[in-house]
Amino acid sequence: MPQRRRDSRETLLILLGGLLFLPALVILAWSLTEALLGAKSRVENAALATADDIVTGADYRLAVYEGVLGTYSTAPSLANRDWETSRGRAKEVVELSPGLTALLVLEDATGRVVMGPREEDAGATRPQLVLSGQRPFVLRGGEGCPCVVLRHPIQRLPGYSVVGLVQPEVFQAVLLKSHTPGTVAALVDAKADFVGRSLGFQDRVGTPATIYVREAMTTGARGLYRGRTHEGLENYSAYVTSTASGWSAHVAVSHSRIDSPRLWLFITFVGGALLALLAAVAIIIYALKDLAARRRADEQMLRLQKGEAIGSFANTLAHDFNNLLTVIIVNLQSIQKADAGPDVSRKAGMALEAANRGANLTQQLLSFARDGGGQLVPIDVTGLLTGVSELLRQSVGGGISLSFVPPRSSVSILANRDQMEMALLNLALNARDAMGGSGRLEIAAQQLGDRVEIAVSDNGPGIPPEVRNRLFEPFVTTKPAGKGTGLGLAQVADAAAQAGGTVRVESPKQGGGLFCPEPADRLMC
């Protein structure tokens, strides 16, 4: 009992440990999920912050140039159409404004230049400079370009505007200042043409951005989208669009930097769920196995207790019955010695033979009850089969074709002869009952190394799998109620065990049964 209590405590501790493992696994999976989500969010937020910085820097530069154009547009010389004075003033403003390359005055309706850096510029038509209304934009072709075009109306001279041309390098510098390694950054105007770009700036400035950029600009002021750069880089891009200028900054991050956390997030989630499920299944399986083992142990204990009770009862019964048989045998012997006539003597002899057999049976029962107390003697296997053959033929009946196969050479075993004969008789009777009184029965003996196998085989219906592992337990039988005691095969196992061997049972798919008592370690050659 103390051992069983210790086993119960150990099992309880294992189950508690397993149950505590499940929430720990869930917490670990949750922690990994949070970490992966955090990594993904950090990449996205960093890209959005970079785009925000670029747009903010670009808006600041545009505001500076807008202020310069606004101040210049209030010059009295413009209102008075004094183009020569206005040209001189424009040169001074350009010299004082880094990045500003030219100031022009255009007629809004036609794009005709009325004042330019040179006198000969007057009269030229440049309608592309007024196509975008008041918003700044980038222009790739034309004199003084690529350039960023800014336009400011002249309040005191309606129908005319001041146009400033700014070098795109000014905004490229803003972009590169905020750009982080490992990303591709771009700044586009409201028409989605490149103003600045971290890759191929000279080739891309003033050219249209990808369709992914243009579509993103129509969906909102900021966000994240998946796309592909002109170079073919699969990416996720964070973008921020200015409400003031309409310009938009886009920061492309390799898709692996976002997809990898997503993939690991999925793997972690699914893996954690599977591990938790497997752990739960393992705990359930362990609990079920432990429960089954306990049931087997309880059943074994019950069988042992039952065996002890049966042994005690059988011992008492056999002892008392043996005393009665002793009285009967003594009196029968007295009758045989007396001159009572041939008929009486013959009948007394038959009764005496039956009584002696009953005495032998009681001795076997006593031996079984005492767990192998029978006397072990050298037995010639061929003689054993010959001696029991007639008894078996009479016992199984004429419907059974009984054959014996003795060992090829003389071999002896150390066993209890009565027990071995009773074991063969029990196996033969079981085979007869299984075959319904008609069939083939063979008892064959052979030497296998230091063992002797005595195989009893028949061509009956076979042995049900559900009872095959319990055949040799006391009171286990496949016969209908009232047809068997369940002690026959238990006696067979006991006889083999006393001889130092075991019993093997086989039941082929085509039917039939094979019992092989194998006495061992006591081979007498």
Side-chain angles (χ1 to χ4, degrees):
M1 289 297 287
Q3 179 63 40
R4 292 190 63 186
R5 289 195 189 98
R6 284 197 298 271
D7 293 343
S8 299
R9 286 196 296 269
E10 290 173 359
T11 301
L12 180 60
L13 289 175
I14 291 173
L15 290 176
L16 287 176
L19 292 175
L20 291 174
F21 172 73
L22 290 178
L25 184 62
V26 171
I27 292 172
L28 177 61
W30 177 80
S31 300
L32 289 174
T33 300
E34 287 295 313
L36 291 171
L37 284 175
K40 172 178 171 292
S41 297
R42 283 193 295 272
V43 173
E44 294 174 353
N45 292 336
L48 280 169
T50 300
D52 209 359
D53 288 345
I54 294 172
V55 165
T56 301
D59 278 350
Y60 172 76
R61 291 293 182 183
L62 289 173
V64 169
Y65 290 119
E66 289 281 359
V68 171
L69 267 64
T71 301
Y72 176 74
S73 67
T74 62
S77 59
L78 291 177
N80 296 329
R81 298 176 182 265
D82 183 357
W83 305 124
E84 188 62 32
T85 303
S86 298
R87 184 179 299 108
R89 179 63 179 159
K91 288 181 179 180
E92 294 176 0
V93 171
V94 169
E95 290 175 357
L96 294 172
S97 304
L100 184 65
T101 60
L103 286 175
L104 302 90
V105 176
L106 273 69
E107 188 177 39
D108 293 339
T110 62
R112 183 175 63 86
V113 178
V114 295
M115 186 214 78
R118 304 181 304 270
E119 290 186 20
E120 57 268 25
D121 293 330
T125 302
R126 300 187 68 175
Q128 69 271 29
L129 298 181
V130 295
L131 290 178
S132 294
Q134 300 300 321
R135 283 193 163 184
F137 65 96
V138 64
L139 184 64
R140 183 173 181 82
E143 187 178 351
C145 293
C147 59
V148 172
V149 180
L150 292 91
R151 182 181 174 201
H152 195 284
I154 303 173
Q155 299 296 331
R156 297 171 65 184
L157 189 62
Y160 293 86
S161 297
V162 176
V163 174
L165 305 182
V166 180
Q167 294 175 336
E169 286 78 5
V170 172
F171 301 97
Q172 174 71 0
V174 171
L175 181 146
L176 293 178
K177 182 179 179 180
S178 299
H179 172 252
T180 55
T183 63
V184 177
L187 178 65
V188 298
D189 64 13
K191 301 193 283 54
D193 291 338
F194 285 116
V195 178
R197 195 167 186 268
S198 61
L199 287 179
F201 166 68
Q202 296 295 338
D203 294 331
R204 295 293 178 186
V205 64
T207 63
T210 64
I211 188 174
Y212 306 103
V213 172
R214 295 196 296 274
E215 288 179 352
M217 292 175 66
T218 63
T219 59
R222 62 193 296 124
L224 189 76
Y225 63 91
R226 180 152 188 173
R228 184 185 297 110
T229 67
H230 282 292
E231 293 80 13
L233 173 66
E234 295 285 344
N235 67 86
Y236 284 96
S237 290
Y239 73 97
V240 175
T241 301
S242 169
T243 56
S245 63
W247 286 19
S248 182
H250 298 251
V251 179
V253 180
S254 175
H255 71 93
S256 61
R257 295 183 62 187
I258 293 178
D259 284 342
S260 290
R262 286 179 176 174
L263 176 62
W264 284 109
L265 177 63
F266 175 78
I267 292 174
T268 300
F269 180 77
V270 174
L274 288 177
L275 284 176
L277 180 62
L278 289 175
V281 170
I283 291 173
I284 293 173
I285 291 175
Y286 175 81
L288 292 176
K289 285 186 175 181
D290 182 71
L291 181 61
R294 290 178 180 277
R295 286 179 177 173
R296 288 195 297 270
D298 291 340
E299 291 173 358
Q300 182 68 20
M301 180 62 69
L302 182 62
R303 285 195 297 270
L304 290 174
Q305 293 173 347
K306 185 189 294 184
E308 290 177 0
I310 292 170
S312 177
F313 173 73
N315 185 55
T316 301
L317 180 63
H319 185 270
D320 292 342
F321 190 62
N322 191 57
N323 290 337
L324 294 175
L325 286 175
T326 300
V327 175
I328 294 173
I329 290 172
V330 170
N331 283 280
L332 287 174
Q333 289 174 342
S334 299
I335 293 174
Q336 275 191 320
K337 292 177 181 179
D339 189 10
D343 186 55
V344 174
S345 296
R346 183 177 59 82
K347 292 180 178 179
M350 294 174 59
L352 182 59
E353 182 180 352
N356 285 325
R357 187 172 295 278
N360 288 334
L361 288 174
T362 57
Q363 290 299 322
Q364 294 171 23
L365 186 59
L366 282 170
S367 175
F368 178 71
R370 292 169 184 168
D371 191 20
Q375 185 178 5
L376 304 180
V377 296
I379 304 173
D380 177 68
V381 176
T382 301
L384 173 66
L385 298 184
T386 302
V388 80
S389 60
E390 188 59 31
L391 173 62
L392 296 187
R393 291 186 192 279
Q394 292 178 3
S395 300
V396 300
I400 301 297
S401 175
L402 178 61
S403 60
F404 294 87
V405 181
R408 295 182 179 180
S409 59
S410 177
V411 61
S412 297
I413 58 173
L414 191 62
N416 182 280
R417 188 181 189 91
D418 292 335
Q419 290 248 7
M420 293 301 296
E421 289 180 353
M422 182 58 66
L424 294 175
L425 177 61
N426 282 327
L427 291 173
L429 294 177
N430 279 353
R432 178 201 64 187
D433 295 341
M435 293 185 290
S438 177
R440 296 191 309 274
L441 176 63
E442 180 184 87
I443 301 177
Q446 60 175 330
Q447 182 176 346
L448 301 173
D450 61 347
R451 307 175 73 87
V452 173
E453 177 185 86
I454 303 174
V456 180
S457 58
D458 62 65
N459 64 339
I463 305 165
E466 60 270 16
V467 298
R468 200 172 298 164
N469 293 331
R470 302 181 60 235
L471 276 178
F472 301 104
E473 297 176 10
F475 304 106
V476 174
T477 180
T478 60
K479 297 176 183 179
K483 296 294 184 179
T485 62
L487 289 173
L489 291 180
Q491 187 275 331
V492 172
D494 185 64
Q498 285 193 36
T502 58
V503 183
R504 186 179 81 255
V505 58
E506 298 177 5
S507 184
K509 292 182 179 180
Q510 64 270 24
L514 173 66
F515 289 83
C516 301
E518 298 177 346
D521 300 329
R522 292 172 182 166
L523 182 63
M524 305 286 291
C525 296

